[in-house]
Amino acid sequence: MTTNKDIYILAIESSCDETAAAVVKNGRTVLSNIISSQIDLHTLYGGVVPEIASRKHIEKINQVIEEAMKEAEVTMDDIDAIAVTYGPGLVGALLVGVSAAKALAFATGKPLVGVHHIEGHISANYIENLELEPPFMSLVVSGGHSHLVVVKDYGEYEIIGRTRDDAAGEAFDKVARAIGLGYPGGPKIDRVSKEGNPEAIKFPRAKVGENIYDFSFSGLKSAVLNYLNGAQMKGEEVNVPDVAASFQKAVTDVLVEHAIHGAKEYNFKKLAIAGGVASNSSLRAAMQAACDKAGIAFYHPSPIYCTDNAAMIGVAGYYEYIKGARHGWDLNAVPNLKLGER
Ligand code: KG4
Ligand code: ZN
């Protein structure tokens, strides 16, 4: 079924607690997107347990790859390259995907393309926004990252702001645990916040030192914990939806302010959000309103492409592949891989 101009990428993602494989055609069309989530397993422990994640990836990886190929109705002959996340992430988890990709590439003689996980998250925006092309401003907010990134071109990035402490998703997860909502916190806070008043409690909007684009969420997290302790000591009942909504508003306000400020300063008329927290309904609404006001086009992936998936790796892998990026059999998992590094 392959014609000369169609390029098919088989992509693999295993950097955290999702074992995923996808087939992407010409960088923009997702033919399959299989995700085996371990969330139920890690919920027992209140967070991701790295050893359990690695073991589950090993159990699932071949199955999700087979399913992705089957659903896409392609065979190995159709595949032009194998793309895989090689960092950042949990080293043992990454290794499972990297090893599977190397084995497949070696056995089939296909090129191997290592992909940066954050490049994947940003690239998720290309799937449903066919008109979106670099350059643009991007806000990446996930469980492990909060970055304000200038996307100069495909595969070319400049990070202009980053978190000094907790990532946005991490703050959601920690606060959710503190107010008894459990893991994973983001979606749960999102849900209960709909019944709460975002103005009920005035939590701080973090200001951080010299770089106006940097983020800090640990002070906000402490403020929530202090509020809860204070209420407990006074014997007052805590209104969970109000705490959740007020916390969510504090995070959202800062993310929106930084992203809009960055887009304006750098003169971008396009802003794309990415990562698990980008599926937050309050963030999406607030960012949309702020972009409308500023005359900026706002892009965001559907929730399924916000949280970890392999389709986004297939998209990023495609752009790396057509630029000539290839990795050798020495490709290794790099847990703290920097964006733009090879
Ligand atoms: O991108 P992702 O799947 O994994 C990383 O690369 O880290 O992001 C997971 C994070 C978790 O912290 C989760 O709580 C958060 O994204 N998240 C959300 C929502 N859905 C997932 N945070 C806020 N609102 C949501 N709806
Ligand atoms: Zn991620």
Side-chain angles (χ1 to χ4, degrees):
M1 65 182 280
T2 310
T3 65
N4 278 342
K5 65 177 197 15
D6 288 335
I7 292 174
Y8 293 79
I9 306 285
L10 168 63
I12 298 170
E13 153 68 41
S14 70
S15 66
C16 191
D17 59 347
E18 263 95 29
T19 322
V23 176
V24 175
K25 180 181 164 186
N26 296 330
R28 299 266 179 163
T29 307
V30 177
L31 299 183
S32 62
N33 186 32
I34 308 297
I35 304 168
S36 169
S37 175
Q38 308 175 358
I39 281 182
D40 292 349
L41 206 62
H42 298 289
T43 300
L44 288 171
Y45 306 95
V48 177
V49 183
E51 288 78 7
I52 295 177
S54 312
R55 206 176 320 141
K56 269 289 151 193
H57 284 312
I58 293 172
E59 279 174 27
K60 293 283 177 186
I61 192 89
N62 288 335
Q63 196 181 322
V64 298
I65 294 170
E66 269 169 39
E67 263 182 69
M69 295 292 288
K70 197 168 154 211
E71 196 174 301
E73 296 182 354
V74 294
T75 68
M76 260 310 178
D77 286 344
D78 300 310
I79 299 296
D80 293 275
I82 295 164
V84 62
T85 307
Y86 72 110
L90 302 169
V91 68
L94 287 164
L95 263 176
V96 177
V98 169
S99 307
K102 285 206 284 193
L104 259 179
F106 185 74
T108 57
K110 308 280 178 188
L112 177 68
V113 180
V115 172
H116 192 288
H117 184 74
I118 298 299
E119 177 169 18
H121 273 303
I122 295 171
S123 302
N125 278 286
Y126 298 134
I127 298 169
E128 295 152 301
N129 301 298
L130 297 181
E131 74 285 11
L132 179 64
E133 306 240 22
F136 56 88
M137 183 64 77
S138 184
L139 173 73
V140 186
V141 271
S142 71
H145 308 270
S146 302
H147 287 342
L148 194 57
V149 183
V150 173
V151 182
K152 296 177 170 175
D153 199 349
Y154 293 108
E156 273 184 48
Y157 308 93
E158 184 190 345
I159 300 174
I160 61 165
R162 64 182 80 230
T163 182
R164 298 285 184 92
D165 37 61
D166 292 350
E170 208 177 340
F172 269 96
D173 293 337
K174 286 176 178 169
V175 166
R177 197 175 308 147
I179 55 177
L181 295 177
Y183 175 86
K188 292 187 171 155
I189 288 191
D190 197 349
R191 213 170 309 130
V192 299
S193 290
K194 294 191 198 318
E195 273 112 57
N197 172 10
E199 309 295 340
I201 308 149
K202 291 272 166 277
F203 288 129
R205 272 61 173 160
K207 290 269 176 293
V208 281
E210 59 281 13
N211 185 352
I212 50 164
Y213 300 121
D214 277 355
F215 303 99
S216 166
F217 295 109
S218 73
L220 170 59
K221 179 193 67 195
S222 302
V224 176
L225 296 180
N226 286 341
Y227 176 86
L228 296 173
N229 284 338
Q232 198 188 22
M233 271 158 46
K234 284 185 251 162
E236 289 171 7
E237 208 168 305
V238 169
N239 182 322
V240 170
D242 279 356
V243 176
S246 301
F247 158 78
Q248 181 173 268
K249 177 81 166 50
V251 176
T252 303
D253 280 356
V254 172
L255 294 176
V256 170
E257 191 191 311
H258 284 37
I260 297 290
H261 189 110
K264 281 183 179 165
E265 282 293 306
Y266 282 75
N267 243 326
F268 284 120
K269 288 283 168 215
K270 293 180 273 185
L271 172 67
I273 58 170
V277 182
S279 56
N280 184 269
S281 56
S282 153
L283 174 64
R284 288 159 94 103
M287 199 70 91
Q288 181 73 64
C291 281
D292 288 348
K293 196 167 158 220
I296 295 168
F298 174 50
Y299 299 91
H300 55 78
S302 289
I304 190 69
Y305 296 129
C306 285
T307 42
D308 288 349
N309 65 88
M312 67 185 197
I313 303 304
V315 176
Y318 166 83
Y319 286 104
E320 291 291 341
Y321 173 76
I322 59 170
K323 278 190 3 181
R326 304 288 183 270
H327 281 90
W329 307 131
D330 59 348
L331 179 67
N332 205 350
V334 184
N336 56 356
L337 184 67
K338 302 280 174 293
L339 191 62
E341 229 174 56
R342 310 229 108 249

